[in-house]
Amino acid sequence: MTSASLFDPPTSPPDEALALLILRLTPQVGPRRIEALRQHFGGAAAALRATRAALREVPGLDSRSVAAIGDPKAEALARAEQTRAAEVGVTLLYRGLPGYPPALDALSDPPAVLWVKGELPALPTVPRAIGIVGTRAASPHGAAFTRMLAADLARAGVVVVSGLARGIDTAAHGAAVEAGGVSIGVLGSAVDVIYPSENKALASRLTLLSESPLGTGPAQHLFPIRNRLIAALSAGTVVVEGERKSGSLITATHALECGRTVFAVPGRAGDPRAAGPHQLLRDGAVLTESAHDILQELGWGRVPVQPLPDLPPEQTRVLAALRGPVTLDDLQGQTGLPLAELQTALVMLQLLGLVEETGGRWVRR
């Protein structure tokens, strides 16, 4: 009796895109080994056609990785992944092929494949993008400052990149898109698995990016790995709040390794959440009190002046003085207004949605 398999349509040899995905889904073969294979053979497809003897000549490959390359199970998984991605509207971008962001060339271990949901903006070698990172347990002041910073950057045409975590990340993404800008969420899970779940609505307004296959849930080891992508996709990384040993400082370290600029926001002395930024400042990070500090450092111009409603003179004076989070006392000193007039002006501006008060400090919205 003839085997049914004789009637199966023949599969064509893997092209470069499929070959990269096959290698990505091959156990024992990570980003550095895939890149070594690409460089050695001139491409992933050529690597899959190589003999075992030729594979043993590739620097960095051990006997287990050589044995794993060419496993038909990986090819079946890769073909199924491509089909699934097309069904759910996820784009796959492949190292060395059109669409892959040149900004990731800054990494020593660029991902072979990226999963993208949404429209990815142009990210050249030095992208007009800024990573904003910080603690999940953000202070009211830290969250308010982040919203102001991200909104101003977005209005200046800067892409805001972060990790969609609670706290600082959430504040950055939300403010950027509310200001009409573009924001990229780099995930420690697949683009179809949103974590934390309360950010699903926010995620739908972002471009999502991951180097994990569809269906991959969040895992502790994936978050430090994704931090290097935030660093590489940004011309600079801002650390708003974070303890001395935190993921935010890991991102800052990756930024330095990529030749990017590190920015840090000073906090209150003695606050553990200020320990990380203060250490970065001691190490030479750019002190950041507003978006202007970032734009000036990178030569990107200024934040566009927002058209304001016709306000009474005292409200105009107060709004002009709010260049960063300030206390009531500081604001009184800058404006010269009597306390009663200042408080009235702030209440009216708050009702108009132009300012907000958090943690005893006033900021522009």
Side-chain angles (χ1 to χ4, degrees):
M1 185 174 178
T2 304
S3 170
S5 63
L6 294 177
F7 297 97
D8 291 343
T11 57
S12 58
D15 59 12
E16 184 66 12
L18 180 59
L20 283 163
L21 187 54
I22 291 169
L23 289 174
R24 167 62 183 83
L25 299 178
T26 299
Q28 312 298 330
V29 182
R32 284 190 172 86
R33 285 174 173 169
I34 295 174
E35 187 61 14
L37 287 164
R38 284 184 67 247
Q39 296 300 324
H40 188 85
F41 293 107
L48 287 180
R49 295 192 297 268
T51 64
R52 290 282 181 266
L55 289 171
R56 292 189 191 98
E57 299 298 318
V58 180
L61 265 64
D62 58 17
S63 58
R64 291 189 302 170
S65 57
V66 168
I69 293 171
D71 186 342
K73 291 180 182 178
E75 180 171 346
L77 287 172
R79 291 183 184 274
E81 186 73 10
Q82 285 185 330
T83 300
R84 175 63 177 153
E87 290 173 348
V88 299
V90 170
T91 301
L92 299 182
L93 301 179
Y94 303 92
R95 175 83 172 144
L97 296 181
Y100 191 92
L104 293 180
D105 290 341
L107 292 172
S108 62
D109 59 344
V113 183
L114 293 173
W115 282 255
V116 179
K117 189 169 186 179
E119 186 174 349
L120 191 68
L123 295 165
T125 304
V126 181
R128 191 177 174 89
I130 289 293
I132 301 179
V133 296
T135 179
R136 288 171 170 80
S139 69
H141 166 66
F145 178 86
T146 300
R147 288 193 292 271
M148 180 187 70
L149 182 70
D152 283 346
L153 289 171
R155 283 192 282 268
V158 176
V159 176
V160 172
V161 185
S162 197
L164 199 62
R166 295 183 179 97
I168 297 299
D169 292 18
T170 295
H173 288 307
V177 295
E178 286 166 11
V182 175
S183 189
I184 300 173
V186 185
L187 307 185
S189 61
V191 294
D192 61 338
V193 182
I194 304 304
Y195 177 82
S197 59
E198 65 261 27
N199 274 349
K200 285 183 178 179
L202 175 58
S204 68
R205 305 175 68 189
L206 310 177
T207 295
L208 303 179
L209 183 147
S210 174
E211 59 181 304
S212 295
L214 295 171
T216 303
Q220 193 63 40
H221 71 281
L222 294 177
F223 292 104
I225 292 173
R226 69 93 189 267
N227 289 344
R228 80 193 199 289
L229 300 185
I230 295 174
L233 292 171
S234 311
T237 294
V238 187
V239 179
V240 179
E241 289 183 329
E243 297 188 2
R244 197 179 297 272
K245 294 182 179 179
S246 68
S248 302
L249 267 66
I250 293 174
T251 309
T253 299
H254 285 306
L256 292 172
E257 291 171 350
C258 291
R260 308 305 199 197
T261 305
V262 174
F263 301 86
V265 178
R268 291 177 295 181
D271 185 344
R273 291 169 293 202
H278 287 176
Q279 184 59 53
L280 292 173
L281 290 168
R282 293 187 195 97
D283 293 340
V286 178
L287 189 148
T288 304
E289 295 179 302
S290 69
H292 175 71
D293 295 325
I294 297 169
L295 298 173
Q296 185 178 50
E297 178 70 21
L298 297 174
W300 287 354
R302 302 180 66 85
V303 178
V305 177
Q306 288 289 99
L308 295 173
D310 190 15
L311 299 172
E314 64 276 7
Q315 292 179 30
T316 301
R317 193 187 310 178
V318 171
L319 204 56
L322 285 171
R323 299 186 186 89
V326 293
T327 65
L328 192 63
D329 289 342
D330 291 338
L331 202 52
Q332 187 177 13
Q334 292 175 32
T335 62
L337 290 172
L339 182 58
E341 287 186 31
L342 175 60
Q343 290 174 321
T344 300
L346 286 169
V347 169
M348 296 307 297
L349 291 170
Q350 194 171 29
L351 291 173
L352 290 170
L354 297 175
V355 304
E356 64 178 329
E357 190 269 336
T358 53
R361 291 174 182 263
W362 289 88
V363 295
R364 293 180 66 158
R365 296 192 67 178

